[in-house]
Amino acid sequence: MDQPITQQRGEPTAIAPAPAPARARRTGLRGARLPAPVVGGTRAWMITAMLMVLMMINFADKAVLGLSATSIRAEFGISAQQYGTISSAFFLLFSVAALVVGHLSDRFSTSKVLLVLALIWSVSMLPVIGPAGFTVLLVSRIVLGAAEGPAFGVAQHALHKWFEDADRSIPTALLTIATSVGIIVGAPALSWMIVNHGWRSAFVLVAVIGLVWSALWVVIGREGPVDVHSVAARPELTRPIDRVHVPLWQILTSRTWLGCALSSFAAYWSVSLLIAWLPAFLTDDLGYSKTETGFIATLPWIVAVITLLAQGLVVQRLMHRGVSSRWARGVLPGIILLTSGICTLAFVYLPHSGFTIVLVALGLGLSGAVFAAATTVCGEIAPIGQRGVVLGAFVAVYSLAGVIAPFVAGVLVGAAESATDSGYTAVFGITGLIVICGGVLAVTMIRPERDKARLTAAGAATN
């Protein structure tokens, strides 16, 4: 039985909608006329589960290259710098695609957009099963990155159509958690496939899983009720900011949006190295076997799952108790990010011991907590009709770290190959400092209530 939506402080109460007018009714991916969906109801959680699986596939697609790195480099004679280039190539069109498709998701069905993206992911994996090499890997990763770039923002945009603002922290955290679960489940399975059936088999496996998800999404996927149609059809479902159009530049230059984007940039710097370089670091620098590496590489993701789930529960409880969004969605995640940076510096500079793996797990696992909070904040300060492009721009900025970090790591590791130092000390030392800076920015800049009021007034004046 669907529960009533809890009122957020300062926002109008939203009740599960009655059957909507014809203009607001939804259609499935096959075009069938469907009953008006319920905010936060059973269908909302079905969509959440499907989107979680999509994000699991999304990160498994990213991780498969890192898990195969040693085998690929050995087979094709790829240097550390070339591998860094391939890793960075994934993000070449990532940011541009996130912005462009985010804009399109405000105008077209998010369900159909996600279906197209998932199909492209699977197809981009297939060239690798043939005669591959540096060029084939490079091009396939560029195409994959262009299709995966918009995924997180569009999926969050689709998810936010099913929940009111005060109730988005847990589903948003779950969707972000799914990226970690994709690694926890995928890394050991893909490592086993690589060891027993060759690295190409891992690419084939993730491609097939993507195609199966796409087939299920055709049946299940549909649009949620809290979208731009609600503004016209059911004004009581919307907030004051949803009834105005705010100049986009004012949203993207607000301190809150910049704080979200920059702190997430710092976190994604850490996450991109976790995906692209941690397996190689564990194997080449710390001397673990491929099987051990597959297990150890999941530990930061387990930390991320626990942290995100705990944060989502705490934040939602704080919001319902009247704690400001600034403290719940800005200060708290910022403190977690600061802790992540400190642990990263610790595992780099403290003597290697059994405790090093704990610090690696905490340092690289805690940083992702900021994504769920920052994503929710971006949706909080954006009108419904502009949420897609605001989230797309958010992803476009923070994902630039994915272009820069793996390439810089490749240069540093490659330059140190003949030296006593492996180069990883510099790589993760820089990462720790960047993450600490991101935590400071989250704590000091993210103030959703203040900027939402200012943007609402600006939109009303413009209109």
Side-chain angles (χ1 to χ4, degrees):
M1 181 176 179
D2 297 325
Q3 300 297 318
I5 304 301
T6 305
Q7 183 177 5
Q8 183 186 7
R9 188 180 66 173
E11 300 290 356
T13 302
I15 306 300
R23 64 187 289 180
R25 295 179 75 84
R26 306 294 185 267
T27 59
L29 284 170
R30 294 172 295 177
R33 197 169 178 80
L34 301 169
V38 177
V39 178
T42 301
R43 173 67 67 166
W45 291 106
M46 289 178 60
I47 295 295
T48 301
M50 284 295 294
L51 292 176
M52 288 178 67
V53 174
L54 181 67
M55 289 296 99
M56 291 171 63
I57 298 169
N58 180 283
F59 263 64
D61 287 346
K62 292 183 178 74
V64 69
L65 180 67
L67 293 168
S68 306
T70 303
S71 300
I72 290 173
R73 288 181 59 189
E75 180 174 337
F76 300 114
I78 294 174
S79 68
Q81 189 164 348
Q82 286 178 312
Y83 172 70
T85 301
I86 292 172
S87 299
S88 293
F90 175 85
F91 296 97
L92 182 64
L93 301 177
F94 197 96
S95 296
V96 174
L99 183 58
V100 172
V101 178
H103 178 69
L104 293 176
S105 70
D106 283 327
R107 288 157 175 74
F108 299 97
S109 163
T110 51
S111 298
K112 293 179 181 177
V113 171
L114 289 171
L115 176 63
V116 171
L117 294 177
L119 289 172
I120 295 174
W121 302 350
S122 295
V123 171
S124 69
M125 293 288 177
L126 299 181
V128 178
I129 66 176
F134 175 79
T135 303
V136 172
L137 287 167
L138 185 71
V139 173
S140 68
R141 296 304 283 187
I142 291 173
V143 173
L144 177 65
E148 290 203 348
F152 186 72
V154 176
Q156 293 286 6
H157 183 28
L159 183 70
H160 285 189
K161 293 182 179 182
W162 289 93
F163 298 92
E164 286 296 311
D165 180 69
D167 298 307
R168 286 176 186 158
S169 293
I170 290 177
T172 300
L174 288 173
L175 189 55
T176 310
I177 283 171
T179 61
S180 302
V181 175
I183 302 299
I184 295 170
V185 174
L190 294 174
S191 296
W192 184 89
M193 290 289 292
I194 291 166
V195 170
N196 292 279
H197 300 287
W199 62 268
R200 286 179 175 83
S201 66
F203 282 77
V204 173
L205 178 62
V206 294
V208 170
I209 293 173
L211 292 174
V212 171
W213 183 90
S214 299
L216 292 174
W217 185 247
V218 169
V219 177
I220 298 173
R222 68 194 269 200
E223 299 296 290
V226 186
D227 66 3
V228 69
H229 299 288
S230 301
V231 177
R234 296 291 301 276
E236 69 273 18
L237 290 177
T238 65
R239 308 163 300 161
I241 195 170
D242 294 327
R243 302 186 183 108
V244 298
H245 181 90
V246 183
L248 183 61
W249 68 268
Q250 292 196 23
I251 301 175
L252 303 188
T253 56
S254 67
R255 287 174 59 88
T256 292
W257 188 90
L258 289 172
C260 289
L262 294 176
S263 61
S264 296
F265 175 94
Y268 206 72
W269 184 287
S270 177
V271 171
S272 62
L273 293 180
L274 170 59
I275 295 169
W277 281 100
L278 180 63
F281 167 62
L282 294 171
T283 303
D284 301 340
D285 200 66
L286 300 186
Y288 290 100
S289 68
K290 290 182 180 179
T291 302
E292 291 171 327
T293 294
F295 170 73
I296 295 171
T298 64
L299 296 180
W301 301 103
I302 293 173
V303 170
V305 167
I306 296 171
T307 305
L308 281 164
L309 183 58
Q311 178 185 263
L313 291 169
V314 170
V315 167
Q316 191 144 314
R317 178 169 292 186
L318 290 175
M319 293 290 291
H320 282 290
R321 288 184 175 182
V323 175
S324 71
S325 185
R326 177 200 173 190
W327 284 95
R329 294 171 174 172
V331 174
L332 176 60
I335 292 173
I336 296 173
L337 201 56
L338 284 168
T339 305
S340 171
I342 292 169
C343 289
T344 300
L345 291 178
F347 85 68
V348 170
Y349 293 108
L350 291 180
H352 176 57
S353 65
F355 191 62
T356 300
I357 299 304
V358 175
L359 291 172
V360 169
L362 293 173
L364 301 180
L366 290 174
S367 62
V370 76
F371 294 124
T375 301
T376 309
V377 168
C378 286
E380 183 180 351
I381 66 171
I384 287 177
Q386 297 173 266
R387 188 171 58 209
V389 68
V390 169
L391 286 170
F394 165 68
V395 175
V397 170
Y398 81 63
S399 63
L400 289 174
V403 181
I404 303 169
F407 179 77
V408 169
V411 171
L412 292 174
V413 172
E417 282 181 345
S418 60
T420 304
D421 185 5
S422 65
Y424 288 106
T425 299
V427 169
F428 290 108
I430 292 170
T431 299
L433 293 174
I434 289 173
V435 171
I436 287 173
C437 290
V440 172
L441 292 173
V443 170
T444 58
M445 294 184 69
I446 297 176
R447 299 185 178 215
E449 291 91 352
R450 177 200 62 189
D451 284 340
K452 180 170 60 176
R454 184 179 62 80
L455 291 169
T456 301
T462 300
N463 294 334

